[in-house]
Amino acid sequence: PLFHNLYNLVFDEADQLLEMGFRPEVTKMLEALLPSKAHRQTLLFSATLPHNVLEVAKIAAHPTVQLVDTVGEEEQTNTQVEQCAIVTRPDSI
């Protein structure tokens, strides 16, 4: 199967992708990747959490998915959330 060894799947600005009309393409990709769903980590990043992002998360993520809200009801997310990136080798995890 295609991408059967996929370990991480990341959608940054997931809400923007959906608002721009990419829902059919995102859904198609996720359906093609269903065999890797059981063992991969799926990350959906979004400054907002509209209903359509939650719907895609249900398709993309493992059934035991946990929602992490780091902002709450705040309007301005950029001042509330520290942003950083850490790159690691797969064998160091």
Side-chain angles (χ1 to χ4, degrees):
L2 186 63
F3 298 113
H4 69 281
N5 287 329
L6 181 68
Y7 295 107
N8 301 60
L9 177 64
V10 179
F11 286 101
D12 192 12
E13 298 296 342
D15 58 330
Q16 294 296 314
L17 286 172
L18 301 178
E19 285 179 22
M20 292 170 48
F22 288 104
R23 170 80 186 254
E25 290 81 2
V26 169
T27 302
K28 185 176 179 180
M29 285 190 305
L30 292 171
E31 288 171 351
L33 295 171
L34 277 178
S36 69
K37 182 177 179 177
H39 66 268
R40 76 166 184 259
Q41 178 184 35
T42 303
L43 304 169
L44 298 166
F45 293 98
S46 175
T48 61
L49 202 55
H51 184 70
N52 57 358
V53 172
L54 292 173
E55 289 175 350
V56 169
K58 288 179 185 175
I59 299 169
H62 194 271
T64 61
V65 67
Q66 182 177 9
L67 172 67
V68 178
D69 183 349
T70 61
V71 179
E73 298 296 322
E74 294 290 327
E75 295 290 326
Q76 291 289 336
T77 58
N78 60 344
T79 60
Q80 301 295 321
V81 179
E82 179 182 345
Q83 299 184 23
C84 67
I86 300 172
V87 180
T88 63
R89 295 186 332 263
D91 61 343
S92 68
I93 298 176

